[in-house]
Amino acid sequence: MRVAYYPGCSLEGTAKEYDDSIRAVMKKLGVELVEIPDWNCCGASSAHMLDPEITVKLPWRNLKQAELLNETEIMIPCAACFARMKHAQKEVTNDAAKYGLEPPGKNFKIVHIHEFLSDKEFLKKIEAAKELDISKLRAAPYYGCLSLRNPKLLDVDVREAENPTSMESILEAAGATVLEWSYKTDCCGGNLAVPKTNIQKRMSQKIFDAAMYVEANAIVTDCPMCQINLDMRAEEIGATEGKRYNIPVLYLTEVLALSFGIADKLWWNKHFVNPKPIFAGIGL
Amino acid sequence: MPNGDGKKVGAVAVIGGGIGGMQAALDLANSGFKVYLIESSTAIGGHMAQLDKTFPTNDCSMCTISPKLIEVDKHENIEILTNAELMEFAGEPGDFRLKVLLHPRFVDLEKCNACGDCLEKCPVLVPSEFEEKLGERTVIHKLYPQAIPSPVAITKLNRPPCILTCPAGVNGQAYLALAAKGRFLEALEVVRRNNPFPSVCGRVCHHPCEFECNRNELDEAVAINPVKRFLSDWGRSHEDSPIEKIAIDQNKQRIAIVGAGPAGLTCAQDLVKKGYPVTIFEAEDKPGGMMRWAIPGYRLPRDILDYDINRILSLPIELKTGVKLGKDVTLSSLKAQGYKAIFLAVGAPNSQGLNVAGSDLEGVWGGLDFLKKVNSGEKVNIGEKVVIVGGGNVAMDCARVAIRLGCKEVNIAYRRSREEMPASDEEIEAAIEEGIKFHFLVNPTKIVGQNGKVDKVELIKMELGEPDESGRRKPIPIKGSEFLMDSSLVILAIGQRAETDVLVKEGLELQGGWIKTDPLTLQTSIEGVFSGGDVAIGPSSVVEAIAQGHEAAESIERYLRGIDLKANRTLEKPEKAPFPTYRRFQKALRQHESKRVISERIKDFKEVNQTLSEEQVIAEAMRCLQCGICCECLACVAACQAQAINHQMIPETKDIDVGAVVVTCGFEPFDAELRGEYGYGRYPNVVTALQFERILSASGPYQGHVVRPSDHKEPKRVAWVQCVGSRDKSRGTDYCSSVCCMYAIKEAIMAVDHAPGLEATIFYNDIRAYGKGFEFYYENSKKLGVKFTRGLISGVKEDPKTKDIIVRYFDDNGLEREEIFDMFVLSIGLKPPKSAITLAQRLGIELNKFGFVGQDEYNPALTSRNGVYVAGTFEAPMDIPETVMTASGAASCALELLSEARGTLVKEKTYPPEEDVINQEPRIGVFICHCGSNIARVVDVQKVVEYAKTLPDVVYAETNLYTCSTDTQVKIKDTIKKYSINRVIVASCTPRTHEPLFQDTIREAGLNKYLFEMANIRDQDSWVHYDDPIRATFKAMDLTRMAVARARRLKPLQERVFKVQQSALVVGGGAAGLACALSIANQGFDCYLVERETELGGNARKLKVSLDEKAPFEFVKSLVEKVTKHPKIRVFTGASAAEVGGHVGNFKAKIKTNDGNTEEVNVGTLILATGGEEYKPTEYLFGQSNRVMTLLDFSEKFADSPEKLKSIKQAVFIQCVGSREKDYMYCSRVCCQHAIKDAIFIKEHNPDAQVTILFRDIRSYGFHELNYQEARDLGVLFIRFDIDNRPQVSEQNGKLKLTVTDDALGIPLEFEPDILILSSAIRPRADAQEVASLFKVPLNPDKFFLEAHMKLRPLDFPSDGIFVAGLAHAPKNLAESLRQAKGAAARAATIISKDQLTLPAVISTVDQELCAACLTCVRLCPYEVPKIVRIEGALGRQWAAYIEPAQCQGCGVCASVCPRKAIITYHYEDDQIVSKVEVLFDTEDFERTLGWLQERQDER
């Protein structure tokens, strides 16, 4: 199958390993990613805090670009990009004139990666693609907030918004041991990382503590902001607290790649908390 | 169709059978109307039946509702329709027609005696709705033990996919359900109902059921077929069910069946079971067809095949083997022999050949020929290498047989790829395991021989092209790719054929090489000849052949009986049940049959697959999702001795004519999962408040032990969070649900009470304890240790190890805290039921934006459609007493509308004259009940009968299966006549539910109903002593002996009848009194209205502020006008009641009129609506500064001249002035809503004014919450203060100065209000005590009138015939007063609508000569009935107690306490009670029963 793909800026930089692993995994699952031609910023950075018009127009251009393709579905791995694109689609579908834009030419189905992969057919494919036993990977699935909330805007079932289970199904299909914990949709504090670092650190610390409590050896996320925010600060927070948060924060697709036996060792170099010792400990 | 004659119908439909519906039904039925009570579930009682205790009295909810349930059930003029849904509604007020759909209950209400025998047999459990899914119930069930109607009901969905997919319709769900319970033989019988070959199919079936199994969506299909195999093995190795005894009716037409394969045998079995003489003609020497000749023994051992066949042939079926169609018999010869119908099931025994060179060589075999040879035990020389051509199951069989015959190399050549292979996956996998080589995409082109024998096969490679008509891709040979393969034998397993030449010769029309038949009826081209199985449909499976056998039998029977072959038959399958949602299912691995090791199994023909173990089968069967809920195993049908269960019931429609409709369809709780942050449905120890009610309830899932769901341990710390789904704009529930604060407090109190030491914390916004007695209850709960923390929490976490709930909140000091609770209870709000939208559409009534009917302030109970009235929580969220009041109010509306039709449709029962038994010797009849097996299983009832016959005066004794069944009533009446019985005893269940029934029966037989006695040998014997049958029988004898002793002393009693004054006196001319009087008069009764002031209207005259079009005082003015003009109302103003005497139905009251005269009125009922008054504050400079005023003062001052508000810069309200404090520990209820309205009023007229409300809790319950929201939106400030830190007010230079400490900020704020409005309390009238004494009615400690029961009799006084309404009862707003007034009118109508009343005969009476006037009875009577009067006694004038018969409730307290034994309670006289005790300890009797007991124990 084919699907339109919007990587977003993170996946070209801080989350390059996310992009790489997505492409590897999708290939293995028989999905052809058709990157939106000449895509631009989704507006998530500072634009949407500063200018309500630009916040719509930026992602809207991406949707327009996507109309050049034959696809009807756009898969977005970054939670922030996903939220911005949904917002723009809703706003312009609702009242294009307000922004001086044309009404939409195509009613795309915009899906976040966890929704995309948790489709029943994919779960079967994931199960079939298993090569390595990753059952010793005790994964704490972590969604953060942007891909789920506000549920009305993102067309997420209100029950799912507080207790999503799609990553659980995906990880289970891949053969990981999936842990139940209460913190999977808690805010990681990413938006406060620069202005109020001490608050962000407290928020992140709660997540680390909770993951350690359920004896997780990896936090698995599908949001590049959460990943960098948690991964980058782990050591620093641990130092303040006199603890060692030696728990890698992996991308969902990295775990799938592990399971499929196609993970690229170079990815692990991009992680602040080195996952290799953990992998070695569980025979991977 | 409405009758259209303009006449009104004397019947009312009440929709919704909760407490509101029950109250409305009773009021209407007791006022002379026929009532249809329409309930959507299987029982009435609604949510109240689920509650544990009720606030603020902590009465048991079930104990208070259950007498009402029985009253409704027994009421002659209430017809309860359950499982009912209103479909159509037409007509006009006074004359409506309803179409009601009655969904099937699958249980006959008339026949079921609710014995419960069936419940024990039901194998399927589902989460109990009544237990809010904390417990489980059987599919056939009673909603709750006290449910009315008491008969059980069955829950059924569409049939599950397994049944509907099975060609033979084998009931997979049922046999799995039974197997899960270890009931293997019953399960096997379920299989055999549709499948006479369970052992065969359990091994070789291609089980389409498993492919369709809904469990595939979750993990993997249930192993339906392996379970079936286990059952068949279990039947063989244990005691199998006996072969049915069948008598053949030789007068019936004879039937010939040709072919003893699965189709033929099935058909034969079905027909022989119907009594037809059947002969089977089989060409081979043994029956079984392809099951025997094609399927190898390692898949289906011969002894097992024979077992199934022999069971069939044990029936009187004639089998003739070695008879071949076309050779030994023909169709015409069979007809000539007298066979009237023929079923041809001769199969497809010929192998398809291959048209290539060399196919005639020696060593080229047909697949079937090969298998048959091996299976019949012939020796076959297989050689070293074999090539099998084909990809179906026959090819697999040939290959695996070849291996077992010792062939070294077995090759399968198939022209398509693995994916297209038709053989089942299991077979292919087994073949691969056994070392068989597969060659895909090859096809033979030539068979090369040497010496006339096969030597090699030439194969050509193929590739797949476009899909052909079969949907599979067509194989195309690749030119030049031929190659050779060594082979000593070639087996062609490429298809089967019928013996077409024989069939053609018989004159049968063929189609595609098979007999042409009608797919529905299996009729061939020749009349009377039917055909099925492989010969008709081509090679197929055993189960398909069985299905054809069944269909053929059905057709043949129809044909022989001359019935239309096609009627009510269809090839279409009904819709399958989807993946069930009644429960959350967990993943669970499928159990697998073990297999013999490969190296061993290929050496012989012993069975490869081993049967599952018992444990595996139970585990596997439990994986079944029970998609249809009811599995139709029919175990209940077998258990029911009353034959009350009917699984074939279909929906029925009922047409009902009524004059009016009362809708009380109640509420449904807010779906807590919509507040996902609280983890409901995710964390097991997060429960809803309704679940917590069930946890508290003694009849609940944990028998009243407060334990948490995750580990059933007692919680130490429990938290409640308020407003879950209330006051919540984001979920569309902006309103306040009105009841949650109080029920949460009650639950917290009860939890502490159940588990001392338990810490209960309630997280809240505002505590809304606004009802009568609520504030005291709230304050008291703090003393009992309930902790209240202000502030709602935004979400909770769970400790994944302990399952504790972690709550983060800010404490009173604003500090963030994290606390761990064992349980977390969500105080869920009330929503209108989802079904209400459809209901409202059908009724043509409008709903507000939340889906409630909404409240019309001045017109209680009215909807947008005239003649349709509403009450209870469907109108707006409210508590139980208000529901009851509004239900009576809605009844009043119907009574007014239909007054002319009163009494036209009610039934009155007539009885034969009573026999005079006074001078007769007692002749006692004793009826001992089996109660199905409820009693008889434990108690030896026959023994009790024998014993009863030996007791004095007993002339007759017998047992009955169900003594309460209708036919037994007839029998009892006949027996009374036949044996001249004059005392009757039933030893059965409880008098609570059944005494009235039996009393009625003996009355119908001409006996006084008090000549009846009951012994409870079920609830108090067989149920509690189920484990000790001998001593339970002994106890049953004791109980019967005691009953006989009392029965001998029973006397007939007469119920006194007296005339009722059909008029009413209403005291108090305020809004409540006016509305009540008007309603009574509109119902057609005379009414007197007494008002002490010279003007009617009361407090409401001062209520001038309104946000709507009409102010309250204007409404009251119109009410006054209607009352004064009403011809049936006589108004006394400036008057008061002076003296009141008499009793219900006949009160005499003296009225002191305004001219100083006294006038006596004689009425049937009294209504007290004497009102209340506004407290005149002494605090906050009231009366000292003209800037300080009360709410009523504000209304007087500004309502008419709002322009004065323009100059106001600052207005401040202070709440709770004189309320909620020492000595006045009650909430005045209306002040918050009035202050908010006044604040909005100010803002509307002067938006710049700063308006502030100083409050303790804002109690804007119900839809008042919307005004609170609006006020905040308009900028009204709300500042919370603490009672211990009240606002300080002073005046300086004509300016007010107010200081208040903001509770949230903790800092003092200063105001200089231009006006200060005090929300002052509502107080009872100063003369409340006097009025209470005059009417002899009680007051509560706050001096408001105290009703008979705070929950269910909110409008009644303890003394019959006196009712209360308005402020005299408790603080309330105008709308609520009007509702009460309407309700009181209905309550009054239940008395004055009758022209006579019957006084109960069971009352107490004083022997005044004996009485010492000690006052003991006066003090202890709970109803304050006994009085000391002066009498002329033997010793001259003396004092003695007197009990007014019309007031006595017959409780017997006075008789039991009277020290001189001067009081007796009829029917419970001393000798009647004492005699029971005496015989209990009578040594002779005791020894007699003891001897019997000894005997039985020796026998043991």
Side-chain angles (χ1 to χ4, degrees), chain B residues 421-437:
Chain B
M421 239 175 152
S424 71
D425 285 344
E426 291 138 56
E427 286 298 306
I428 298 170
E429 272 152 33
I432 294 171
E433 281 172 10
E434 290 171 6
I436 287 146
K437 289 184 185 156

Side-chain angles (χ1 to χ4, degrees), chain B residues 305-361:
Chain B
L305 168 66
D306 287 338
Y307 184 85
D308 277 357
I309 293 177
N310 288 342
R311 269 188 74 95
I312 299 171
L313 293 176
S314 304
L315 302 172
I317 297 170
E318 190 182 7
L319 172 69
K320 293 186 175 174
T321 51
V323 184
K324 193 163 164 36
L325 182 73
K327 187 176 147 217
D328 306 309
V329 286
T330 60
L331 290 179
S332 43
S333 78
L334 289 171
K335 282 193 178 163
Q337 286 176 46
Y339 293 104
K340 298 291 179 205
I342 299 167
F343 179 48
L344 286 179
V346 292
N350 293 353
S351 296
Q352 189 87 39
L354 191 64
N355 195 15
V356 295
S359 59
D360 51 351
L361 287 166

Side-chain angles (χ1 to χ4, degrees), chain A residues 31-92:
Chain A
V31 180
E32 190 184 330
L33 298 175
V34 189
E35 196 166 325
I36 296 176
D38 190 31
W39 55 268
N40 55 267
C41 171
C42 72
S45 52
S46 43
H48 80 289
M49 309 289 258
L50 301 172
D51 188 331
E53 207 175 307
I54 289 190
T55 193
V56 170
K57 285 186 171 171
L58 277 172
W60 182 248
R61 183 178 170 278
N62 289 323
L63 292 175
K64 271 286 163 204
Q65 286 298 105
E67 285 180 17
L68 302 171
L69 304 173
N70 282 329
E71 318 316 320
T72 54
E73 192 176 4
I74 305 176
M75 192 268 280
I76 303 181
C78 169
C81 301
F82 169 66
R84 285 301 101 215
M85 300 275 260
K86 287 289 268 192
H87 174 74
Q89 189 185 37
K90 288 243 155 91
E91 281 293 305
V92 184

Side-chain angles (χ1 to χ4, degrees), chain B residues 1083-1111:
Chain B
Q1083 290 180 40
F1085 304 108
D1086 288 323
C1087 187
Y1088 304 96
L1089 178 66
V1090 178
E1091 167 58 45
R1092 81 173 78 196
E1093 288 182 38
T1094 51
E1095 206 183 324
L1096 294 170
N1099 289 314
R1101 280 176 300 164
K1102 298 176 197 157
L1103 296 174
K1104 295 184 179 171
V1105 175
S1106 171
L1107 304 179
D1108 308 321
E1109 286 153 26
K1110 197 154 105 181

